[in-house]
Every structure is written in structure tokens, then in C-alpha cells.
Amino acid sequence: ASSDLQRVADVARRMVTQWGFATEALGSTAWESPMGSGFNSPKMASEATQERIDMAVEAIVRNAYESCKKTLTDNRALLDRLTDLLVERETVGNDELMQLVREFAAAPNKADSH
């Protein structure tokens, strides 16, 4: 799990410093090279800009977390049903999974019935 969290932070940082996902806060400037800002890399931003970069990265990570949490919460009944099937049979094929998703998408009240 910690490597997943590190990966999220790495991608969010690249989004801000290399791909321009924080233009309102930082403008349309690449603040790091594609190699990142490691130990031997030259400083491309002031301390104040580094703080704004950190805040933008934190906002992206926080928004991604909230979006993921909402998606999981909104689809709890589907996930519970999928869990039951996996415990029962160990595998669920793609066609069956897609059918299950369609069933739960078509019946919003199913979330309350499981």
C-alpha cells in the first residue's frame, strides 16, 4: 500500500510540475525536468513556489482520494455482491462482471437491498 501512495504522490507531482495541471496557481511553466528534482538536479523554483507546488500536489491527491472514496461508497452494494461471488467461486469473468455492473447501474435502489 505504501508504494501505491508513493506512486499517487509521484504522478500528482508530475501533473503539477511537468504537465501544467496547476496553471491557476503556478502558470504554464514546467517547474521540473522529466527526471524530477532529485538531489543533483538544479533548483528551478523558489521556496515560495515550492510551497505552492506542494499545496497543488496535496489538492490533487486530496481530490483523487475523495473521488475514489465516493465511487466506492456509491457502489458499495455492487462491491459487496462481487465480494460474495469471489468468495464463492474465486473468479468472475469479464462478461459476468460487466453484466453485474449493468444490473446495479440500472437499479439504483439495489444499494439498499444488500
Side-chain angles (χ1 to χ4, degrees), residues 5-99:
L5 296 174
Q6 184 61 49
R7 183 81 174 121
V8 167
D10 289 344
V11 170
R13 184 163 192 84
R14 285 177 187 252
M15 289 171 69
V16 171
T17 61
Q18 296 174 22
W19 304 329
F21 277 71
T23 55
E24 296 88 26
L26 297 163
S28 299
T29 302
W31 295 100
E32 289 180 357
S33 72
M35 300 304 291
S37 62
F39 181 69
N40 290 327
S41 298
K43 291 268 187 205
M44 295 181 71
S46 68
E47 286 298 317
T49 300
Q50 286 295 335
E51 280 186 36
R52 292 189 353 238
I53 288 170
D54 291 343
M55 288 172 35
V57 169
E58 183 180 335
I60 288 171
V61 170
R62 187 178 336 103
N63 289 339
Y65 171 82
E66 291 300 328
S67 175
C68 182
K69 183 178 176 183
K70 181 177 180 352
T71 300
L72 292 171
T73 302
D74 290 350
N75 292 286
R76 180 60 191 254
L78 169 62
L79 295 171
D80 288 342
R81 179 67 183 125
L82 181 58
T83 300
D84 292 343
L85 286 173
L86 289 169
V87 167
E88 181 181 310
R89 294 187 271 160
E90 294 187 16
T91 61
V92 173
N94 184 59
D95 291 341
E96 187 176 11
L97 175 61
M98 296 310 297
Q99 180 59 37

